Amino acid sequence: MSDTRANLLGAAFMVLAMLGFAIEDALFKAATRSASAGIGTLIFGTTGLVLFLLLSARAREPVWSADYLSPVMLWRSGFEIGGRLFYALALAFAPLSTTSAILQAAPLVVTLGAALVLGERVGLSRWVATGIGFLGVLLILRPFGEGFSPALLFAVGGMIGFAGRDLATRASTPRLSRWQLGVSGFAMVVIAGAVITLTEGESRLPDLPGLLALLAAGSVGVAAYTSLTGAMRTGEVSVVAPFRYARLIFALILAAVLFGERPDIATYVGAVLIVGSGIFTLVRSGRQKTA
């Protein structure tokens, strides 16, 4: 397969993955109209876990691996729990559009973590881009304004958790397949759901439409995860990765159509700053690696 064709295929996989994740978020948010966040996360996580176990069994891979207990994977699991816990609460209590916009800052946090934890070189231009991206997050949050919503802090917590997970994934052993990583990840979603359920004031089971939405969310999430893995393993990372920001476009459309959300100008400006700085950082990183 030629490099151009591989990159096109990788980009297509990435766009499909981002569409899937946006649909997953919308289905989960719709389900929390009847289900509490904890119960919803439990059902969603169990659905994904069962599907990944079946995929792993089909590939004749062991269900359990000692690598799950390696220090890096334990860190990954901890960040996964935190990310899923806070992001589920954000989807339940904050607007989908702003939650998705804040999530787009995760690659910037990964860049910051790679420099501070993994010792990767980050030039001045990428530091400036990272700072601009965080300015975009502040524009969306507006922590000192009248429009500040404390529920958006859940989105920030989810974003940090997912960034830590991605950073730990970089350092994880290649002995674990994508199915095994999926099993580990969704097992942490179940744990996050249990934590939320134990701490939330009132647990509510979903009605039938809510249950179907959660089952669909888990199924779509597995498909999206699989597409994401295909994207990262097919095309060049520097070419494919910027297409991850298509998730925000899909999320804004779904938020408007399904939930009637209309973000204000400051939110749009913040989203542009986050996405623009993120794309610059990814492209710059790719050029440095090929230089």
Side-chain angles (χ1 to χ4, degrees):
M1 183 183 296
S2 67
D3 290 343
T4 300
R5 185 177 177 184
N7 286 335
L8 287 174
L9 184 59
F13 274 133
M14 180 63 79
V15 171
L16 285 174
M18 295 304 107
L19 175 59
F21 285 132
I23 293 174
E24 170 198 311
D25 291 346
L27 288 169
F28 185 90
K29 185 171 183 62
T32 55
R33 289 172 172 172
S34 62
S36 60
I39 296 297
T41 305
L42 274 173
I43 296 174
F44 164 73
T46 301
T47 301
L49 176 60
V50 169
L51 290 175
F52 269 120
L53 283 171
L54 291 175
L55 289 169
S56 186
R58 182 185 177 189
R60 296 185 178 180
E61 298 170 346
V63 174
W64 171 256
S65 171
D67 288 319
Y68 289 148
L69 296 180
S70 67
V72 170
M73 284 301 296
L74 290 177
W75 275 107
R76 183 183 188 273
S77 297
F79 278 118
E80 182 81 67
I81 291 173
R84 289 292 183 175
L85 190 155
F86 287 116
Y87 194 60
L89 293 173
L91 288 174
F93 300 113
L96 175 62
S97 53
T98 49
T99 296
S100 297
I102 291 173
L103 183 65
Q104 304 313 304
L108 300 175
V109 178
V110 171
T111 298
L112 178 64
L116 298 178
V117 179
L118 300 182
E120 293 186 9
R121 290 187 59 188
V122 176
L124 178 60
S125 59
R126 289 169 66 191
W127 280 118
V128 172
T130 300
I132 292 174
F134 289 139
L135 177 61
V137 174
L138 290 176
L139 272 176
I140 296 173
L141 286 176
R142 278 158 284 179
F144 305 110
E146 294 182 358
F148 173 64
S149 171
L152 288 178
L153 294 178
F154 290 138
V156 175
M159 179 266 292
I160 293 173
F162 289 148
R165 175 201 63 189
D166 292 346
L167 193 63
T169 300
R170 283 191 181 190
S172 63
T173 174
R175 290 190 298 271
L176 291 172
S177 72
R178 55 181 174 174
W179 308 132
Q180 290 173 315
L181 286 174
V183 168
S184 173
F186 271 90
M188 298 308 108
V189 177
V190 174
I191 293 176
V195 172
I196 300 173
T197 301
L198 291 174
T199 56
E200 62 189 355
E202 178 186 1
S203 296
R204 302 186 313 276
L205 293 173
D207 54 19
L208 181 58
L211 176 61
L212 294 177
L214 289 170
L215 295 176
S219 302
V220 172
V222 169
Y225 182 93
T226 303
S227 295
L228 177 61
T229 303
M232 300 307 290
R233 290 184 174 179
T234 302
E236 299 174 51
V237 173
S238 60
V239 175
V240 172
F243 285 92
R244 71 184 305 133
Y245 292 104
R247 178 174 183 170
L248 179 57
I249 298 174
F250 295 133
L252 291 174
I253 295 172
L254 291 171
V257 173
L258 299 179
F259 306 108
E261 295 180 13
R262 299 292 186 272
D264 57 18
I265 295 299
T267 299
Y268 281 121
V269 172
V272 169
L273 290 177
I274 293 170
V275 172
S277 59
I279 291 176
F280 174 84
T281 298
L282 289 169
V283 172
R284 184 75 175 176
S285 175
R287 287 178 178 174
Q288 288 180 347
K289 289 178 180 179
T290 57

